Amino acid sequence: MATYVLVGRRHRQAHNAEWFIAVGGMALLLPATGLRYGFDWQLVAAYGSFTLALLAVTLIDLRTQHIPLLITVPGTLAGLVLGWWVLPSGFGLSLVGLIFGGGVLIAATVVEAARSKEVGGGDWKLSAMIGAFLGWPGIIAALVFTGVFGVAGALLLKRWGGAGGPQALGPWLSAGAVAAMLIG
C-alpha cells in the first residue's frame, strides 16, 4: 500500500511539473514569437497556435507514448492553408516541407519496423505537420535540432538514472520545430 501511495504521489508531482513546464514555456514562447516576427498579429497567431499544438503533442506523447491524429491531421492542413495565406514559406515550400518531413520519418519508421522495433505512426505525421508550417528548409533545421536535443536529453536522462528504454520522439521533434521556428 505504501508503494502505491508513493507512486501516486510521484505521478501527481510529475504531472504538476509537466503543466508547470508547459505553462512556463508558453509564457516565454509567445513573446519570443512576437519578437521574432515583428509582432505581426497574423504570424504570431499562426505560429502561436502551431506552438500550442506542439505543446499538446509533447504532453500527450510523454504521458501516453501516442501522438493523436486529432492534432496532427488538422494541424497539417492548417499549415498548408496558412502557408498559402500567411506564413513566409508560402504554399509551395509548405507542401514540399510536408512531403519531406513526413517522408523522412516514414522511411525511419519502415526501417525500425523491419528491425522488429515497436514504432508508431504518429511521429511521421507530426513531422509532416511541422514541415507544413515551416517549409522544407525549416523541417531540415527542425530535424537537425531534434537530433541535437534528443542526444542531449538521452545523455541527461542516463546521467540522472532515467530509464534506458525507448523515449517518446514527439517532445524532441516539437522542441526542434520551435527552435527552427524561432531561429529561422
Side-chain angles (χ1 to χ4, degrees), residues 52-95:
L52 285 172
L54 293 172
L55 176 64
V57 164
T58 296
L59 293 174
I60 292 168
D61 199 17
L62 283 172
R63 185 164 299 265
T64 66
Q65 297 281 310
H66 175 77
I67 298 174
L69 288 173
L70 189 60
I71 296 172
T72 56
V73 171
T76 302
L77 295 174
L80 285 176
V81 169
L82 290 169
W84 186 23
W85 283 339
V86 176
L87 299 177
S89 60
F91 179 77
L93 292 181
S94 288
L95 182 60

Side-chain angles (χ1 to χ4, degrees), residues 7-91:
V7 170
R9 186 176 304 140
R10 283 189 197 127
H11 179 73
R12 279 192 308 280
Q13 288 171 343
H15 178 70
N16 291 339
E18 288 171 5
W19 283 103
F20 177 76
I21 291 168
V23 171
M26 287 308 296
L28 295 173
L29 287 174
L30 288 177
T33 304
L35 285 171
R36 168 69 174 93
Y37 293 100
F39 293 99
D40 178 336
W41 71 270
Q42 290 178 323
L43 287 175
V44 172
Y47 286 130
S49 62
F50 174 56
T51 304
L52 285 172
L54 293 172
L55 176 64
V57 164
T58 296
L59 293 174
I60 292 168
D61 199 17
L62 283 172
R63 185 164 299 265
T64 66
Q65 297 281 310
H66 175 77
I67 298 174
L69 288 173
L70 189 60
I71 296 172
T72 56
V73 171
T76 302
L77 295 174
L80 285 176
V81 169
L82 290 169
W84 186 23
W85 283 339
V86 176
L87 299 177
S89 60
F91 179 77

Side-chain angles (χ1 to χ4, degrees), residues 102-115 117 119-124:
V104 165
L105 285 197
I106 283 176
T109 300
V110 168
V111 168
E112 289 300 307
R115 293 176 52 206
K117 303 279 183 169
V119 179
D123 295 323
W124 71 264

Side-chain angles (χ1 to χ4, degrees), residues 1-10:
M1 180 67 163
T3 303
Y4 176 76
V5 171
L6 287 176
V7 170
R9 186 176 304 140
R10 283 189 197 127

Side-chain angles (χ1 to χ4, degrees), residues 84-170:
W84 186 23
W85 283 339
V86 176
L87 299 177
S89 60
F91 179 77
L93 292 181
S94 288
L95 182 60
V96 173
L98 179 157
I99 293 166
F100 182 78
V104 165
L105 285 197
I106 283 176
T109 300
V110 168
V111 168
E112 289 300 307
R115 293 176 52 206
S116 299
K117 303 279 183 169
E118 186 176 325
V119 179
D123 295 323
W124 71 264
K125 294 174 190 109
L126 175 60
S127 184
M129 180 181 89
I130 293 167
F133 269 91
L134 301 181
W136 72 264
I139 188 62
I140 291 172
L143 291 172
V144 169
F145 282 122
T146 297
V148 171
F149 294 150
V151 168
L155 291 173
L156 287 173
L157 285 172
K158 185 175 181 179
R159 170 73 174 105
W160 288 335
Q167 302 295 317
L169 181 60

